[in-house]
């Protein structure tokens, strides 16, 4: 007999034991719980699907177990597993449970779980495809994540509403400031749904703390399959006003089944729900609370996680961004739970069967286009509320009609055959999704070449046609002080690789002292080894160093309608990078486009900026290897963000001038983040494009503030930024989620022992303490 008890928990007087056991003498293990005298205790035992154990050991996939028993603290009990004459006992008491649930124990379990045959097989495949260096980086980060990142099971346990809080919601909804409490129609397209899953779903509806709903179950099951109808009838018999069965007489397809349910719905708002998932009790309450707080709300979506085969474990939370149309073209990040106001549904129409497999992706695009009236640019909206205008001025605005609720309000069932457990189960869905993105572009009048497979199935990469003779001039502005080897590599990489040719270089000379630098300027002005069609200008800044003023000065000498700000230590990797940037920057709604920058070892130096990360702002996914998976693959999604770095940043000159350029009060730090925030306050989007790729070489050894004077200047610039953009620091970046940490760049859960959800990062402005930290960092890096 082989066995493992994965988890022990004790809550509300119930002992819960979960794990797996493989018999060697019989076909089935007998489970029981006994006290210290050997007397059997009352318990229930349920078999669980453990496909992971099946794959590793060749066992029956239902070898998992959940055993529950009433239990009192300060007593001993034993879990008994009997395989014929073979018996194993596992001791249980509250001390053992607390020890098993400690962070240390969980970390050790995770480490052990990494070491098995399947891991070795996957690792070898990764090495063959990406090389040993990439594998080494990935392995290090896996181990670091075990040691550092907060466990979702523990996070969820500590944040879930108590029974008392859930009960309080059953009265709290009556106090919301609403003229009318909306009826929410939950539309569920069903097809041959097992009774178990349908029962779990309907139970979760019954448990809702907001009672004003109707559940429309549109049953398209095959003739003779009565599991859905019989299950729904039981609930309708005791609550006919809220549970309604719609018999379709056969399968109309996912779109047809859903449309039938939408047609039958009478609610003010319509919620979409799959037939084998679950809602937590507070889901509809959170929706109605959001409606009360946002009177113009037309489309509402929430965060979600996954729930296992038998509804016991929650995992893989998806904490989402606020409205993010560019990310929606990369992936259907909205998913569940989505709620649509009736007038928006009537305006949009229902699901379209030609997009089956990605019918919700297509539907969301059309809903959001109508909810925003096709205007991604809030500056075009002349009817913004006072509150939205305030958010716009603070750089925090995304939408007042499309509302994101940063709370887990949906549990997506994970089981064999579901797209939650294996996206390849519905490969056809990804081709349909590509067509949904293209259809969105066509309606919006956005030019594109193709929508291809992105980082994995279900993710999309938009490509654009190569530039022609009519392409706009791009002025590439590069400040430089000596460092001519870096500068030459930067210029020649663009000259050699870039498919975009209508460019000019504007080199802003900043008080260089080496004669070789000026000799080099003469050579490139003569186009030695460079395309003679590309203009090169060298202009001279003769005042003290001020990054903002230097770039503003460079713009004054730029002839192009598009400005590309570059550091002198970057090197172009992807030939289509400037093409990509121009296509995004050319949209009226776009203010700035940024890039994915990598260190020389192909680890991430910059993948967009999160405002508030580390106190003021920080780059996302720093140190991750480009071949590693990031949180929900966001490193490889084109998306709207609050900021990007000026080490590689493009914008139209008219937008630059409209916001007054870089703020010269910020001479060294945060001037690029401030520029992005000013653009956001203008009502324009800041777009991160991971397919715009450059190496950024010297950043690992630059930028350390290693004297008291530099630290004081840095703190002064922190104060300037915080004075101008304090609201986003207090309330949070709308493109980040308040449940994710501000202490690290990897989108990990907040460590609840150090930071509460939504709590701003506490800045430490002590000069001596900061200086000591910097000097330790220099020593660690081996810098002088």
């Amino acid at each position: 007999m082989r066995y493992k008890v994965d988890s022990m928990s004790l809550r509300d007087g119930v002992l819960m034991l979960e794990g797996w056991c493989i018999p060697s003498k019989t076909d089935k293990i007998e489970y029981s719980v006994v006290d210290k005298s050997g007397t059997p205790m009352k318990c229930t035992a349920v078999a669980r699907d453990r496909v992971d154990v099946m794959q590793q050991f060749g066992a029956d996939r239902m070898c998992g177990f959940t055993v529950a028993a009433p239990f009192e603290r300060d007593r001993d009990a034993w879990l008994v597993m009997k395989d014929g004459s073979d018996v194993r006992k596992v001791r249980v008491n509250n001390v053992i449970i607390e020890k098993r649930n400690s962070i240390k124990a969980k970390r050790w379990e995770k480490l052990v779980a990494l070491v098995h045959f399947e891991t070795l097989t996957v690792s070898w495949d990764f090495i063959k495809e990406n090389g040993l260096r990439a594998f080494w980086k990935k392995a290090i980060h896996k181990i670091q994540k075990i040691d550092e990142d907060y466990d979702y099971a523990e996070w969820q346990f500590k944040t879930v509403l108590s029974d008392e809080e859930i009960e309080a919601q059953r009265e709290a909804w009556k106090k919301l400031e609403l003229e009318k409490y909306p009826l929410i129609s939950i539309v569920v397209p069903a097809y041959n749904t097992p009774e178990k899953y349908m029962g779990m779903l309907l139970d979760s509806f019954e448990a809702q703390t907001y009672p004003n709903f109707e559940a429309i179950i549109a049953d398209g099951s095959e003739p003779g399959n009565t599991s859905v109808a019989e299950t729904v009838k039981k609930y309708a018999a005791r609550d006919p006003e809220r549970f309604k069965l719609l018999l379709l007489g056969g399968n109309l397809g996912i779109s047809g089944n859903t449309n039938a349910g939408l047609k039958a719905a009478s609610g003010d708002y319509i919620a979409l729900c799959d037939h084998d998932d679950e809602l937590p009790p507070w889901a509809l309450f959170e929706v109605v609370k959001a409606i009360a707080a946002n009177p113009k709300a037309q489309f509402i979506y929430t965060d979600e996680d996954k729930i296992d085969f038998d509804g016991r474990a929650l995992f893989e939370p998806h904490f989402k961004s606020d409205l993010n149309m560019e990310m929606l073209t990369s992936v259907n990040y909205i998913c569940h739970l989505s709620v649509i106001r009736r007038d928006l549904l009537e305006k949009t129409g229902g699901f379209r069967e030609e997009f089956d497999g990605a019918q919700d992706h297509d539907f969301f695009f059309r809903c959001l286009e109508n909810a925003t009236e096709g205007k991604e640019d809030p500056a075009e909206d002349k009817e913004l509320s006072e509150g939205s205008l305030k958010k716009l001025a603070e750089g925090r605005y995304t939408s007042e009609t499309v509302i994101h609720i940063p709370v887990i309000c949906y549990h997506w069932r994970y089981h064999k055959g579901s797209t939650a457990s294996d996206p390849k189960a519905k490969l056809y869905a990804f081709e349909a999704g590509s067509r949904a993105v293209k259809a969105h572009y066509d309606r919006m009048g956005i030019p594109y070449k193709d929508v291809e497979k992105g980082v994995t199935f279900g993710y999309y990469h938009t490509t654009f046609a190569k530039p022609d003779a009519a392409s706009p001039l791009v002025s590439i502005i590069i400040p430089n002080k000596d460092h001519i080897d870096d500068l030459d590599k930067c210029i020649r990489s663009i000259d050699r690789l870039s498919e975009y040719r209508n460019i000019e270089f504007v080199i802003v000379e900043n008080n260089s002292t080496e004669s070789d630098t000026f000799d080099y300027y003469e050579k490139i002005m003569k186009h030695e080894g460079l395309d003679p069609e590309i203009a090169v200008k060298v202009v001279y800044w003769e005042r003290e160093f001020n990054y903002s003023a230097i770039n503003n000065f460079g713009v004054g000498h730029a002839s192009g309608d598009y400005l590309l700000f570059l550091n002198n230590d970057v090197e172009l990797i992807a030939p289509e990078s400037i093409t990509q940037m121009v296509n995004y920057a050319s949209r009226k709604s776009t203010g700035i486009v940024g890039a994915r920058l990598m260190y020389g070892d192909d680890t991430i130096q910059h993948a967009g900026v999160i405002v508030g990360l580390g106190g003021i702002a920080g780059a996302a996914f720093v140190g991750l290897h480009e071949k590693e998976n990031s949180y929900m693959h966001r490193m490889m999604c084109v998306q709207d963000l609050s900021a990007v770095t000026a080490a590689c940043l493009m914008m139209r000159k008219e937008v630059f001038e409209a916001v007054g350029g870089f703020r010269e009060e910020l001479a060294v730090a945060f001037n690029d983040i401030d520029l992005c925030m000013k653009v956001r306050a203008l009502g324009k989007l800041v777009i991160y494009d991971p397919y715009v790729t450059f190496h950024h070489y010297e950043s690992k050894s630059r930028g350390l503030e290693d004297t008291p004077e530099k630290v004081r200047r840095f703190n002064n610039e922190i104060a300037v930024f915080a004075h101008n953009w304090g609201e986003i620091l207090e309330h949070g970046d709308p493109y980040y989620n308040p449940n994710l940490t501000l202490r690290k760049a990897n989108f990990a859960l907040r460590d609840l022992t150090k930071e509460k959800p939504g709590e701003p990062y506490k800045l430490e402005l002590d000069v001596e303490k900061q200086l000591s930290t910097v000097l330790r960092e220099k020593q660690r890096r081996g810098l002088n």
Side-chain angles (χ1 to χ4, degrees):
M1 185 194 319
R2 303 183 70 169
Y3 70 91
K4 183 174 184 294
V5 180
D6 290 320
S7 66
M8 299 178 177
S9 62
L10 177 59
R11 190 175 187 186
D12 298 328
V14 177
L15 171 67
M16 192 78 69
L17 305 170
E18 296 184 330
W20 54 267
C21 188
I22 304 172
S24 60
K25 296 183 177 180
T26 64
D27 294 331
K28 185 177 180 181
I29 298 292
E30 295 179 14
Y31 298 97
S32 61
V33 178
V34 301
D35 62 19
K36 62 182 180 180
S37 65
T39 303
M41 300 167 58
K42 182 180 179 181
C43 73
T44 58
V46 179
R48 292 186 62 200
D49 187 316
R50 290 300 297 264
V51 66
D52 56 331
V53 180
M54 178 191 73
Q55 291 171 344
Q56 188 171 350
F57 298 112
D60 184 280
R61 66 180 293 163
M62 296 305 292
C63 64
F65 65 79
T66 296
V67 176
F71 193 75
E72 297 178 7
R73 288 187 177 275
D74 302 320
R75 65 184 296 186
D76 285 319
W78 279 261
L79 169 66
V80 180
M81 294 167 282
K82 187 177 181 182
D83 176 23
S85 60
D86 196 0
V87 178
R88 297 288 185 274
K89 294 183 179 181
V90 177
R91 187 182 181 188
V92 183
N93 58 42
N94 59 292
V95 174
I96 293 172
I97 291 171
E98 289 171 6
K99 185 176 180 180
R100 284 286 302 268
N101 290 328
S102 69
I103 295 295
K104 182 178 180 180
K106 288 183 177 180
R107 286 172 180 168
W108 175 250
E109 284 185 5
K110 289 180 183 178
L111 184 60
V112 171
L114 289 177
V115 186
H116 54 72
F117 180 75
E118 185 181 1
T119 301
L120 295 176
T121 302
V122 171
S123 298
W124 177 241
D125 290 342
F126 186 88
I127 291 171
K128 288 191 291 185
E129 181 177 352
N130 301 299
L132 189 58
R133 173 184 284 183
F135 171 74
W136 177 250
K137 289 286 183 182
K138 183 175 182 179
I140 292 296
H141 292 145
K142 277 278 190 181
I143 294 171
Q144 287 175 339
K145 187 172 183 180
I146 287 172
D147 182 57
E148 296 176 0
D149 286 354
Y150 210 67
D151 183 74
Y152 180 56
E154 183 171 349
W155 188 94
Q156 197 271 342
F157 180 80
K158 288 186 175 181
T159 58
V160 70
L161 295 184
S162 67
D163 292 343
E164 292 76 13
E165 290 171 318
I166 290 174
E167 284 305 309
Q169 280 189 0
R170 300 190 189 281
E171 295 296 323
W173 64 269
K174 299 175 184 177
K175 300 177 183 178
L176 295 173
E177 294 183 6
L178 285 164
E179 293 182 7
K180 170 190 173 185
Y181 296 110
L183 173 66
I184 298 178
S185 296
I186 310 173
V187 173
V188 181
Y191 174 73
N192 294 351
T193 315
E195 180 181 353
K196 174 182 177 180
Y197 295 146
M198 182 57 66
M200 287 179 171
L201 174 64
L202 300 184
D203 283 346
S204 77
F205 293 169
E206 276 192 328
Q208 290 301 300
T209 58
Y210 180 76
N212 195 20
F213 70 85
E214 63 174 4
I216 310 286
I217 314 302
D219 183 16
S221 298
E222 295 172 341
N225 190 319
T226 61
S227 63
V228 172
E230 290 177 358
T231 304
V232 177
K233 285 176 181 178
K234 294 176 185 176
Y235 290 80
R238 60 178 182 256
D239 194 348
E241 293 298 316
R242 297 200 301 175
F243 292 90
K244 301 176 181 179
L245 174 65
L246 182 64
L247 292 171
L248 303 181
N251 186 21
L252 306 179
I254 182 64
S255 292
N257 293 347
T258 305
N259 286 338
L262 294 176
K263 187 175 181 180
S266 56
D268 305 292
Y269 289 82
I270 290 83
L272 301 173
C273 188
D274 289 347
H275 65 159
D276 52 0
D277 298 336
E278 294 183 38
L279 302 184
W282 52 82
L284 298 186
F285 175 84
E286 289 289 345
V287 169
V288 175
K289 188 169 71 170
I291 292 169
N294 301 276
K296 293 187 177 182
Q298 297 183 40
F299 187 100
I300 300 159
Y301 65 98
T302 76
D303 293 343
E304 63 187 291
D305 61 14
K306 293 187 175 70
I307 192 167
D308 73 348
F309 183 81
D310 57 4
R312 295 290 185 181
L314 300 174
F315 56 100
E316 288 187 19
H318 186 184
F319 291 114
K320 305 171 187 176
S321 161
D322 286 358
L323 175 63
N324 199 321
M325 289 298 290
E326 299 311 325
M327 190 149 69
L328 194 61
T329 65
S330 294
V331 61
N332 178 10
Y333 80 95
I334 288 178
C335 285
H336 317 101
L337 174 70
S338 4
V339 181
I340 304 97
R341 200 168 74 185
R342 171 164 291 282
D343 58 346
L344 175 62
L345 177 64
E346 292 171 349
K347 185 177 182 180
T348 300
F351 287 71
R352 302 194 294 184
E353 63 181 14
E354 61 266 35
F355 291 95
D356 272 1
Q359 69 289 334
D360 52 349
H361 202 170
D362 169 69
F363 179 70
F364 293 157
F365 272 126
R366 291 183 289 118
C367 282
L368 299 189
E369 291 162 15
N370 284 315
T372 59
E373 297 182 347
K375 295 178 291 193
E376 294 180 30
D377 185 350
E380 294 183 0
D381 193 338
K382 306 303 181 184
E383 300 179 356
L384 288 181
S385 67
E386 184 177 339
S388 292
L389 288 171
K390 182 175 182 294
K391 281 187 176 181
L392 182 63
E394 295 165 355
R396 299 192 294 125
Y397 179 81
T398 55
S399 176
E400 62 180 4
T401 57
V402 181
I403 307 301
H404 164 231
I405 301 173
V407 177
I408 298 288
C409 292
Y410 196 95
H411 302 316
W412 187 5
R413 181 82 58 194
Y414 178 102
H415 62 84
K416 184 179 179 181
S418 75
T419 53
S421 64
D422 180 11
K424 294 182 182 179
K426 294 184 178 180
L427 289 176
Y428 74 95
F430 305 129
E431 192 277 332
S434 173
R435 288 188 285 107
V437 177
K438 292 176 182 177
H440 162 68
Y441 287 148
D442 291 339
R443 289 189 298 271
M444 299 294 289
I446 297 174
Y448 64 93
K449 177 184 176 184
D450 200 2
V451 177
E452 303 172 344
K453 176 176 172 287
V455 62
T456 188
F457 291 107
Y459 287 76
Y460 306 96
H461 170 206
T462 300
T463 60
F464 302 97
K466 290 186 178 181
D468 56 27
S471 300
L473 176 64
V474 175
S475 296
I476 304 176
I477 299 168
I478 309 175
N480 185 69
K481 180 179 181 180
D482 297 315
H483 287 277
I484 57 174
D485 289 341
D486 289 336
L487 177 61
D488 188 62
K489 183 181 288 186
C490 173
I491 291 173
R492 293 188 188 281
S493 70
I494 295 171
D495 176 63
R496 183 180 70 256
L497 294 176
S498 177
E499 69 178 23
Y500 198 98
R501 307 308 297 173
N502 193 17
I503 58 178
E504 68 168 3
F505 291 103
V506 180
I507 313 303
V508 186
E509 156 54 31
N510 166 36
N511 296 306
S512 293
T513 59
E514 299 176 8
S515 60
D516 288 349
T517 300
F518 299 95
D519 293 341
Y520 174 76
Y521 291 156
E522 290 186 13
K523 291 179 181 178
I524 60 170
M525 291 284 285
K526 295 176 182 177
H527 291 83
E528 291 189 12
L530 295 178
D531 184 345
E533 298 297 318
I534 296 177
V536 181
K537 302 176 183 176
V538 179
V539 298
Y540 292 83
W541 173 260
E542 298 178 348
R543 292 164 51 192
E544 72 283 352
F545 177 80
N546 182 312
Y547 180 86
S548 296
I550 288 169
N551 277 288
N552 289 343
F553 177 73
V555 172
H557 294 272
S559 303
D561 291 329
Y562 288 72
L563 308 172
L564 175 55
F565 297 98
L566 282 186
N567 278 14
N568 65 350
D569 58 350
V570 301
E571 180 183 19
L572 179 68
I573 298 174
E576 67 276 11
S577 292
I578 298 178
T579 302
Q580 289 268 141
M581 296 184 95
V582 169
N583 275 275
Y584 281 113
S586 65
R587 301 178 190 175
K588 184 179 179 183
S589 60
T590 303
I592 284 175
V593 182
R596 178 166 57 103
L597 304 180
M598 292 177 289
Y599 293 121
D601 61 1
D602 291 331
T603 57
I604 296 297
Q605 186 266 335
H606 172 274
V609 169
I610 304 302
V611 177
L613 191 67
I616 293 294
F621 304 117
V622 173
L624 202 68
H625 194 276
E626 68 160 338
K627 297 297 184 181
E628 289 185 69
N629 291 335
S630 57
Y631 182 77
M632 299 298 169
H633 296 293
R634 281 190 64 167
M635 182 178 76
M636 290 303 298
C637 289
V638 175
Q639 61 196 277
D640 301 321
L641 289 176
S642 289
V644 293
T645 177
C648 180
L649 178 158
M650 180 181 284
M651 60 195 306
R652 300 193 307 278
K653 184 186 284 185
E654 63 177 346
V655 177
F656 183 86
E657 292 171 344
V659 298
F662 288 94
R663 193 187 303 268
E664 297 187 9
E665 193 178 359
L666 296 170
V668 177
F670 309 119
N671 34 55
D672 47 0
I673 314 303
D674 175 80
L675 177 69
C676 291
M677 293 301 299
K678 290 196 293 183
V679 166
R680 293 272 297 125
L682 191 67
K684 303 293 183 183
L685 298 173
V686 174
I687 297 175
Y688 160 71
D689 185 346
Y691 300 99
V692 176
T693 52
F694 288 76
H695 277 129
H696 194 182
Y697 287 108
E698 291 191 350
S699 292
K700 280 188 173 180
S701 61
R702 292 168 61 181
L704 292 179
E705 309 297 337
D706 55 1
T707 68
E709 292 74 18
K710 289 182 179 180
V711 171
R712 290 190 185 95
R713 183 204 64 214
F714 182 74
N715 286 348
N716 179 64
E717 295 188 351
I718 285 176
V720 170
F721 186 92
H723 172 75
N724 287 287
W725 308 108
E727 293 296 326
I728 196 170
L729 297 178
E730 179 181 351
H731 296 287
D733 189 327
Y735 298 115
Y736 197 55
N737 193 291
N739 297 294
L740 302 177
T741 184
L742 293 175
R743 301 171 65 86
K744 293 184 286 185
N746 63 351
F747 285 52
L749 287 173
R750 289 192 177 222
D751 184 335
L752 299 178
T753 64
K754 299 175 181 177
E755 51 183 341
K756 297 177 182 178
E759 181 179 68
Y761 186 96
K762 292 181 175 60
L763 275 171
E764 175 58 70
L765 298 181
D766 183 282
V767 172
E768 295 302 323
K769 186 173 181 180
Q770 285 182 311
L771 182 59
S772 175
T773 301
V774 169
L775 293 177
R776 284 198 305 272
E777 176 66 8
K778 288 187 70 174
Q779 184 178 22
R780 185 187 71 80
R781 294 188 190 181
L783 303 174
N784 294 325

